[in-house]
Amino acid sequence: MNTLIRLELTRALRNRKFLFFSVIYPSVLFLLIAGNADSSSKVPGTGLTVPTYMMVSMASFGALTAVLMGNSERIAKEREGGWVRQLRPTTLPGRGYVLAKTASAAVVSLPSIVIVFAVAAAVKDVRLDAWQWLALTGAIWAGSLVFAALGVAIGYLATGDAVRPITMITYFGLSMLGGLWMPTTSFPGWLQDIAKWLPTHAYAALGRAIEQSRAPHVQDLAVLVVSFVLFAGGAAWLYRKDTLKA
C-alpha cells in the first residue's frame, strides 16, 4: 500500500493543471470574494468577520477540490486503461486501495489549505492564536479524507464518459449548498435545514468552531463520521466488485 501511495503522489505532483486548480484556485477565489470586504464587517449569526469566515470556506473548498476532483476522474481513467486488471492478481484488499487513494489525495490538499491561510493573513490581516492556526490546518486536512473517499466511490461508480459531469454536479452542489461559497445564513429557512446535514457544511463548521474558540457541535462530527464510513465502505465495495469483473 505504501508503494501505491508514493505512486499516486508522484502522478498528482506531475499534473500541473490539477495543481493549479487545487492549490492556487481557492486562494484566487478568496481574494475575489473577500478582497473588497470590510475587515470589520461580520457574518450574521457567527461573530466572525467576512475574511475570517471565508478563509475557512475557501481552505475547505481547496481541499475538497484536490481530493474529490483528482480522485474521481483519475480512477475512472485507470479503469478504462486496465489498471484494475493489473491489480487483480495482487493481495491488495479493497480497504487498502481506498486508504492509499485517500491518503495520497489528502497530502496534495495540504498546500491549498496553507496557501489560503497565508493569503488571508497577508492580504486581509486575519489574525488568530497559534493553536488556532494549527488546529484549523489539522481539522480541515483530516476532514478532507471524507471527500477523498467520495472521489474514489464516484470513480468506480461512473464510466469514463460520465465521471466528469457526475463529479462536477456533486462538487458544485456540495460546495454551494454546504455554504462554502456563501454563508448559509443567507439561505431560506428550508434550505438551511437541508444544508445542516451535508458533509460540506459540517466540514466548514469544524473550522469555524475553532475560530470561535468553542467545541464543535456533535451533529457536525456525526455527519462527517457517518459520511466517511458510507463513502469509504462504498468505495471499497465498488473496488472489489470492479476487480472481480476485470
Side-chain angles (χ1 to χ4, degrees):
M1 187 172 70
N2 291 335
T3 302
L4 183 58
I5 292 176
R6 288 195 295 270
L7 175 62
E8 292 299 323
L9 281 174
T10 301
R11 293 175 60 189
L13 293 175
R14 287 178 178 175
N15 190 333
R16 296 181 180 178
K17 181 179 179 181
F18 170 70
L19 288 177
F20 171 80
F21 281 102
S22 62
V23 176
I24 306 300
Y25 180 52
S27 300
V28 174
L29 278 182
F30 171 79
L31 292 175
L32 290 175
I33 296 173
N36 295 324
D38 185 352
S39 297
S40 61
S41 61
K42 295 185 178 181
V43 177
T46 67
L48 300 173
T49 64
V50 173
T52 304
Y53 184 96
M54 292 308 302
M55 180 184 74
V56 166
S57 293
M58 288 299 103
S60 302
F61 177 69
L64 172 67
T65 303
V67 299
L68 180 59
M69 298 294 290
N71 262 347
S72 60
E73 293 192 30
R74 187 162 59 246
I75 290 171
K77 292 178 180 177
E78 287 177 356
R79 291 170 60 207
E80 290 189 339
W83 180 239
V84 171
R85 289 192 297 272
Q86 297 181 42
L87 289 177
R88 184 178 183 183
T90 70
T91 58
L92 182 69
R95 63 180 181 278
Y97 179 85
V98 173
L99 288 175
K101 287 290 188 180
T102 54
S104 60
V107 171
V108 176
S109 72
L110 182 59
S112 66
I113 299 170
V114 174
I115 290 177
V116 169
F117 288 170
V119 170
V123 178
K124 298 303 295 182
D125 198 33
V126 174
R127 294 291 180 265
L128 298 172
D129 294 335
W131 74 267
Q132 289 176 302
W133 288 115
L134 292 174
L136 275 175
T137 303
I140 295 175
W141 193 21
S144 69
L145 295 175
V146 175
F147 306 100
L150 175 59
V152 177
I154 293 175
Y156 272 94
L157 183 64
T159 63
D161 292 333
V163 66
R164 176 163 292 187
I166 291 175
T167 302
M168 294 299 288
I169 291 172
T170 303
Y171 170 66
F172 286 114
L174 287 176
S175 298
M176 290 186 290
L177 296 178
L180 299 186
W181 288 3
M182 64 185 70
T184 55
T185 52
S186 63
F187 293 176
W190 64 270
L191 192 54
Q192 291 186 39
D193 293 337
I194 295 175
K196 290 177 181 178
W197 295 101
L198 294 178
T200 38
H201 181 276
Y203 182 38
L206 291 183
R208 296 190 185 112
I210 294 171
E211 289 181 324
Q212 295 166 336
S213 299
R214 62 171 177 81
H217 293 303
V218 175
Q219 177 179 317
D220 294 327
L221 294 174
V223 168
L224 289 175
V225 171
V226 171
S227 297
F228 179 74
V229 171
L230 291 176
F231 297 155
W237 179 77
L238 288 167
Y239 165 73
R240 295 309 303 172
K241 180 181 178 183
D242 199 75
T243 301
L244 292 174
K245 286 181 179 179

